[in-house]
Amino acid sequence: MEQILADFEEKLKGQTTLLQFELVLVKELSILFSLVITALLERLDLRLYQQLSGAQVLRRDSRTLNGLLGTITFKRRLVRRADDTQGYLLDEYLKIPSRRRYSPALTSIVAALASKSPYRVIEAAVNALTPATISHSAVGMMVKQAGQGLETVRRAEIQEPAGGLKQMPVLYLEGDAFEVKLKKGRTMVHRFQVFEGVAYHGKRHSLINRYEVTNRNRQVAIEEMMTYLRNRYDLHNTLVITSSDNGSGYEASVFSELALGAQRQIHLLDQYHMNRKLKERLPDQPKLVSKLQSALYHGNWHLVEVCLDTAESLVVSDELEEYQEKLAAIHQLRGYLKRNWANIKPFSDPDLNGQLAGIGSCESNHRRYTYRLKHQGKSWGKSGLDAMLRIIDAQQNDNYRQSLIKAGYIDLTPIKAVPSVTRSVLREVKSEHLGITSGRIYVDAATSSAGRHLAKIFR
């Protein structure tokens, strides 16, 4: 340790500002970390080999990994075991997949950050703040690797029955979709979310045990949500409250299928889309929109008709075409409300008082996805989009880290051999210098080599 400190003091001489001091220190510490970890891994490899009886070393190969502490190059033994199987003991012990250039820790962190910022921003941040060096294409590769692992784990977890089915008095289920631009064309992303209620934290609130499923294929998303519900909840004594905009693929019948077996199911028209429709059709009559909203939430169809008739009588325009367009908009609004009245009227049901909190949150929860996937000229490949959806899903479901552990990207199993190896690496060992005891000059070396040139001199 004294020698290490002396070396640092020598290299820091002449640094007169904190900036220079810090930059030099970070660089030297990075080099030291790499040397220590390299020595640690190589000694661990030796110990694993010594503990294996009947093994034959075929060769020692180098491997380079980029991790949070920088780039590490180390050598490990390729051995043939007594049963005639071959493998790298160190790679198998540390569970390092073949052809993997980046450490699991770096992959998991970069993938998580990439779900919130563009790849080039993550590239700049990692290169500036860590000794590791990555490119934006490497960030995309890490996202796909993490996404594939999360997809495998999610499918297995959805199919796995829970220890005991939960019985809830009320369960909430919502669904909606949004459009994303691909490299070639566009695609819809379908989302379903289920939650058990709302928890309040002062002025803020959160959904209790929310679980989200997204997929580019609507039918696959429905099947995954249905499997999740069947393996987690006993719905025989449950009121299932569902909500959507009643668009294509999100009709009340779709949610009736998802809530199959429930004691009772009530489907509501999504409040966000309903209120937006009112404002779009009556842009010049905000006071009438407020009265119309009150009539809808009280389930008073007669008052709804009165408000719409009043809206028609208030339409004024000097141009015939504009006058007809405004009347047509009101006529379309009347048809929209009439078609969806069966799913609007339950808002006034006194039995649902205090049980509708959280309904309509599906639309606002789109933002976690759309802020990353849309706008600013973003476009996606299908594999990259699928991987990003899996990562955001895992973060939203609060099981990102646990899923990566199950996928093998993060291994928390303690390594018993490492502590003793670490101490031996950091311990300063004094060895006797033997000098050169013998030497040999090969006459059959390559013509351009230093040994061949030296051989010619002595001829």
Side-chain angles (χ1 to χ4, degrees):
M1 181 59 71
E2 290 298 328
Q3 183 61 44
I4 293 175
L5 293 175
D7 290 342
F8 275 149
E9 288 179 356
E10 183 65 27
K11 291 173 181 177
L12 291 172
K13 284 182 179 179
Q15 311 304 326
T16 58
T17 66
L18 180 59
L19 175 61
Q20 294 174 331
F21 189 92
E22 190 173 12
L23 291 176
V24 173
L25 189 60
V26 167
K27 178 181 177 181
E28 295 303 324
L29 282 174
S30 175
I31 296 173
L32 177 62
F33 285 148
S34 297
L35 292 175
V36 170
I37 296 173
T38 298
L40 175 69
L41 294 176
E42 291 182 352
R43 293 200 182 197
L44 177 58
D45 180 62
L46 174 61
R47 184 157 301 182
L48 292 171
Y49 168 67
Q50 291 172 341
Q51 294 174 355
L52 187 64
S53 60
Q56 176 188 359
V57 177
L58 300 180
R59 62 177 185 269
R60 291 185 68 198
D61 294 330
S62 294
R63 179 163 190 177
T64 300
L65 280 177
N66 290 292
L68 293 175
L69 296 177
T71 301
I72 305 164
T73 300
F74 57 93
K75 289 186 176 182
R76 74 271 197 250
R77 292 165 177 81
L78 175 64
V79 302
R80 179 184 287 118
R81 302 179 182 87
D83 59 1
D84 208 35
T85 60
Q86 298 181 11
Y88 294 100
L89 299 179
L90 184 63
D91 292 8
E92 295 171 359
Y93 185 72
L94 297 178
K95 300 178 182 179
I96 308 174
S98 59
R99 297 185 175 88
R100 186 68 58 81
R101 293 178 51 206
Y102 299 95
S103 71
L106 182 63
T107 298
S108 64
I109 292 174
V110 167
L113 293 174
S115 70
K116 298 180 175 67
S117 299
Y119 292 169
R120 292 187 184 275
V121 174
I122 304 304
E123 171 195 2
V126 171
N127 292 342
L129 299 176
T130 72
T133 301
I134 63 173
S135 63
H136 69 277
S137 58
V139 175
M141 180 192 66
M142 294 183 199
V143 167
K144 291 178 182 179
Q145 290 175 350
Q148 290 170 359
L150 293 172
E151 173 69 12
T152 302
V153 171
R154 186 179 76 159
R155 288 186 176 276
E157 287 182 339
I158 288 176
Q159 297 291 339
E160 180 182 356
L165 298 181
K166 298 178 69 173
Q167 294 185 347
M168 301 296 303
V170 183
L171 198 64
Y172 302 87
L173 180 62
E174 296 182 272
D176 202 356
F178 58 88
E179 190 178 57
V180 175
K181 182 180 179 182
L182 296 176
K183 298 294 184 183
K184 295 182 179 179
R186 294 179 175 272
T187 187
M188 297 299 296
V189 173
H190 302 274
R191 282 189 60 245
F192 290 89
Q193 70 174 27
V194 60
F195 58 96
E196 299 173 1
V198 178
Y200 292 92
H201 318 282
K203 294 183 179 180
R204 301 179 64 85
H205 66 275
S206 61
L207 303 181
I208 300 174
N209 291 331
R210 178 186 62 192
Y211 189 85
E212 300 192 12
V213 169
T214 62
N215 205 292
R216 289 188 295 112
N217 187 311
R218 183 180 63 87
Q219 192 58 41
V220 171
I222 292 175
E223 291 173 358
E224 288 184 356
M225 179 55 75
M226 184 179 297
T227 303
Y228 178 82
L229 292 173
R230 298 294 176 269
N231 290 333
R232 297 297 184 281
Y233 295 100
D234 179 2
L235 301 179
H236 289 92
N237 298 314
T238 302
L239 165 63
V240 179
I241 301 177
T242 61
S243 177
S244 71
D245 63 355
N246 285 356
S248 177
Y250 294 89
E251 300 88 350
S253 57
V254 173
F255 290 88
S256 297
E257 183 180 358
L258 286 170
L260 190 65
Q263 182 184 50
R264 184 187 178 195
Q265 185 236 339
I266 297 176
H267 186 72
L268 301 171
L269 181 65
D270 181 73
Q271 300 175 61
Y272 170 82
H273 291 92
M274 181 178 70
N275 292 328
R276 187 177 69 177
K277 187 73 70 173
L278 297 179
K279 294 175 182 179
E280 287 178 352
R281 300 304 184 192
L282 300 172
D284 302 330
Q285 304 183 43
K287 292 184 179 180
L288 201 55
V289 168
S290 298
K291 293 181 180 179
L292 192 54
Q293 287 174 331
S294 177
L296 291 170
Y297 287 120
H298 284 87
N300 190 335
W301 179 253
H302 174 70
L303 185 56
V304 171
E305 289 275 22
V306 170
C307 290
L308 293 176
D309 291 342
T310 303
E312 289 181 348
S313 66
L314 294 176
V315 173
V316 177
S317 178
D318 296 334
E319 297 183 7
L320 178 61
E321 184 177 354
E322 183 181 359
Y323 177 80
Q324 291 176 341
E325 287 179 356
K326 291 182 177 181
L327 286 180
I330 297 174
H331 178 73
Q332 291 173 354
L333 178 60
R334 188 189 300 271
Y336 171 79
L337 296 176
K338 192 171 185 179
R339 287 194 308 272
N340 293 287
W341 181 246
N343 304 131
I344 297 175
K345 192 174 181 180
F347 282 116
S348 62
D349 189 343
D351 293 338
L352 298 181
N353 283 342
Q355 294 184 327
L356 297 183
I359 280 293
S361 60
C362 186
E363 183 68 29
S364 60
N365 286 334
H366 273 345
R367 295 174 184 172
R368 179 64 183 86
Y369 296 84
T370 56
Y371 282 8
R372 179 66 185 93
L373 302 176
K374 299 178 68 173
H375 314 303
Q376 299 176 341
K378 293 186 180 73
S379 62
W380 297 83
K382 292 182 179 179
S383 59
L385 174 59
D386 291 340
M388 187 59 68
L389 290 174
R390 298 293 78 77
I391 292 172
I392 299 178
D393 277 349
Q395 292 174 334
Q396 290 291 90
N397 296 332
D398 199 25
N399 61 4
Y400 177 74
R401 182 177 174 81
Q402 294 86 340
S403 296
L404 284 179
I405 292 172
K406 292 181 180 179
Y409 281 84
I410 304 177
D411 186 14
L412 299 184
T413 305
I415 301 176
K416 297 181 180 179
V418 169
S420 59
V421 174
T422 305
R423 287 194 295 270
S424 65
V425 170
L426 296 178
R427 186 185 302 120
E428 186 176 354
V429 179
K430 295 183 179 181
S431 58
E432 182 181 356
H433 180 63
L434 299 177
I436 300 175
T437 56
S438 63
R440 179 179 298 176
I441 299 174
Y442 291 93
V443 296
D444 57 347
T447 305
S448 59
S449 67
R452 188 60 177 271
H453 288 309
L454 186 59
K456 290 179 180 180
I457 295 174
F458 287 103
R459 284 182 182 176

